[in-house]
Amino acid sequence: MDYSSSLVDISLDLNLNPLRRSDDGPASALSVKKEWSFGVPSAPANFMGLGMKVSSVKEESTATETAGALVEELNRVSAENKKLTEMLTVMCENYNALRNQLMDYMARNAHPAEAAAAEQEVEKEQSPSSLSPASSRKRKSDSANNNNNDNYNLPVAANNNNNGNSESSSTDEESFKRPREEVIKAKISRVYVRTEPSDTGLIVKDGYQWRKYGQKVTRDNPCPRAYFKCSFAPSCPVKKKVQRSVEDQSVVVATYEGEHNHPHPSTPEAAAATAASSSSRNQAIAGSPSLTAGPTTMTLDLTKSKPSAASTSARNVVAPSPKPLAGAVDGPEIQQFLVEQMATSLTKDPNFTAALAAAISGRMLQQNHSERW
DNA sequence: CGGATTTGACCGGCGC
DNA sequence: GCGCCGGTCAAATCCG
């Protein structure tokens, strides 16, 4: 399966840089549209000129009207593109979470000894040589903290090691320490997001709510690294680090550690849970700009055909909950079915296919561009 | 006024 | 043992 490629570069590269236009890549109608819409900094002037040319025999007021409409259209399409970028970001994170879970389950089902090896493979793929040594370094207090909190995190470990009971004896803790650390490592994923050059912030919209708890300038990168915890903390242990890439500062690298143990905030279940929990949190979630559009259309529909998969509702995919999924995935054919269902659901979604096409076209253009250098 | 963010201090691992 | 460095804490500050 190609699902082993865990370092997912989801930078849409929707041609933020108008210079790439000069490349004569295979431009579909879609990619042309996206290119057109993302020449944000220079486009308005260009379109003004275009409008004037077209209406050279008409009155000047008509020309400005045309230009105004074009600019308006430009803004609209730009907003649409931004939305698609957010959607893909959210989906990629969900995909990562689900893939990790599936791999864990498969590895453990195959052979306990092979499980660790498989996880180390994942880690190897997810931690290219560019990853600074410090990011893989684990502090003693961290692992201790994770051991203490594993009743709400690390579904695989909870399933296989101690049935989710974190209050086991100290000897249990000792015996499970090593595999757990490997699981923790395997939950690290990195996401690359291309931002507008003018955007200097360190915000990666993935649909979840994050609370910033620190910022640091690291040695190998002049850009500061921001540290975030999931706003559902301490019940949700997920952290993320966001830092601009050294090579291309328009690219933001988000490193996620751990898995969310709650539904994605955009899902109805999460919304209901949130509404029941606290009003302040409600406010924060309602304020998230990416919640209204993407995830609702990106929800995987796994409830349709097979009864065995019916228990694996879409919410389990969006925010994996170990027990129902583990119960549903009973064999290779079921796993195959799940994969097929995921693919079908994704390809049926016009928004996803449009975003994917734009991303691919952008990536191809960039590759052509880099090959010429 | 309460929650989110900022930022300097602090902690612990690692290399010398 | 010491200094460096990444990561975290928590008081101060900001903001809606």
Side-chain angles (χ1 to χ4, degrees):
Chain A
M1 276 195 290
D2 192 29
Y3 294 92
S4 58
S5 63
S6 49
L7 183 61
V8 183
D9 184 349
I10 60 123
S11 59
L12 271 181
D13 189 16
L14 295 180
N15 304 311
L16 289 163
N17 183 356
L19 292 178
R20 291 209 190 111
R21 287 307 141 269
S22 56
D23 289 332
D24 293 325
S28 64
L30 179 61
S31 67
V32 167
K33 176 190 171 188
K34 296 306 172 188
E35 292 173 15
W36 180 86
S37 62
F38 263 88
V40 176
S42 59
N46 293 340
F47 282 109
M48 286 290 275
L50 180 64
M52 291 302 286
K53 212 184 274 182
V54 167
S55 59
S56 58
V57 294
K58 295 178 183 176
E59 293 181 8
E60 201 171 323
S61 62
T62 314
T64 49
E65 276 178 19
T66 308
L70 283 172
V71 170
E72 198 175 70
E73 173 76 358
L74 174 68
N75 291 335
R76 190 187 62 76
V77 180
S78 293
E80 178 190 335
N81 244 327
K82 213 171 210 171
K83 210 157 67 180
L84 288 171
T85 306
E86 292 169 8
M87 287 165 61
L88 195 61
T89 305
V90 168
M91 211 191 53
C92 271
E93 182 171 295
N94 292 337
Y95 159 78
N96 263 336
L98 179 62
R99 185 186 49 72
N100 284 337
Q101 197 172 4
L102 186 61
M103 283 193 65
D104 285 339
Y105 181 83
M106 287 169 66
R108 287 174 193 285
N109 257 10
H111 196 281
E114 290 168 11
E119 283 166 2
Q120 282 175 359
E121 271 308 304
V122 172
E123 168 64 10
K124 224 183 277 178
E125 290 170 6
Q126 287 176 344
S127 304
S129 56
S130 64
L131 193 62
S132 68
S135 55
S136 60
R137 195 192 302 158
K138 272 288 168 193
R139 296 174 56 177
K140 223 182 243 176
S141 59
D142 278 349
S143 53
N145 190 34
N146 279 317
N147 281 338
N148 289 337
N149 293 335
D150 61 1
N151 57 328
Y152 57 72
N153 189 26
L154 308 174
V156 175
N159 271 347
N160 294 285
N161 290 340
N162 60 356
N163 297 322
N165 183 6
S166 67
E167 296 176 357
S168 53
S169 66
S170 59
T171 53
D172 285 344
E173 269 188 1
E174 280 293 315
S175 58
F176 294 136
K177 197 175 274 182
R178 185 182 291 260
R180 201 156 299 165
E181 280 174 2
E182 287 167 1
V183 170
I184 292 167
K185 275 188 186 176
K187 301 304 176 189
I188 297 176
S189 64
R190 292 210 288 172
V191 171
Y192 296 79
V193 180
R194 185 175 289 276
T195 64
E196 294 185 40
S198 59
D199 183 9
T200 58
L202 285 173
I203 296 178
V204 175
K205 292 172 185 171
D206 52 21
Y208 288 97
Q209 292 296 119
W210 300 93
R211 185 176 57 82
K212 189 176 180 180
Y213 67 91
Q215 180 164 317
K216 198 91 176 172
V217 176
T218 56
R219 205 172 58 125
D220 51 350
N221 192 337
C223 301
R225 173 185 296 167
Y227 299 89
F228 295 90
K229 282 178 184 171
C230 180
S231 64
F232 282 80
S235 67
C236 178
V238 181
K239 294 178 202 167
K240 81 169 175 180
K241 293 177 279 190
V242 181
Q243 189 173 32
R244 295 198 169 271
S245 169
V246 194
E247 294 86 6
D248 184 357
Q249 300 205 350
S250 66
V251 174
V252 172
V253 182
T255 305
Y256 293 86
E257 294 179 23
E259 278 186 22
H260 293 280
N261 62 355
H262 54 89
H264 192 278
S266 64
T267 62
E269 177 183 308
T274 304
S277 62
S278 81
S279 60
S280 62
R281 190 157 290 163
N282 232 356
Q283 274 183 334
I285 286 174
S288 174
S290 64
L291 299 181
T292 50
T296 52
T297 55
M298 283 299 162
T299 302
L300 297 177
D301 185 2
L302 299 180
T303 63
K304 279 183 181 171
S305 21
K306 281 199 182 180
S308 60
S311 63
T312 311
S313 62
R315 66 173 182 270
N316 291 329
V317 174
V318 170
S321 171
K323 285 184 182 176
L325 184 59
V329 184
D330 280 328
E333 66 277 4
I334 303 294
Q335 291 166 14
Q336 177 73 20
F337 167 75
L338 284 173
V339 170
E340 286 172 6
Q341 282 292 312
M342 288 165 62
T344 306
S345 298
L346 290 176
T347 53
K348 275 180 185 172
D349 189 315
N351 288 332
F352 172 76
T353 52
L356 187 61
I360 290 172
S361 64
R363 177 58 59 193
M364 288 171 69
L365 286 173
Q366 188 182 30
Q367 195 160 351
N368 287 341
H369 189 66
S370 59
E371 280 173 4
R372 292 182 192 181
W373 281 98

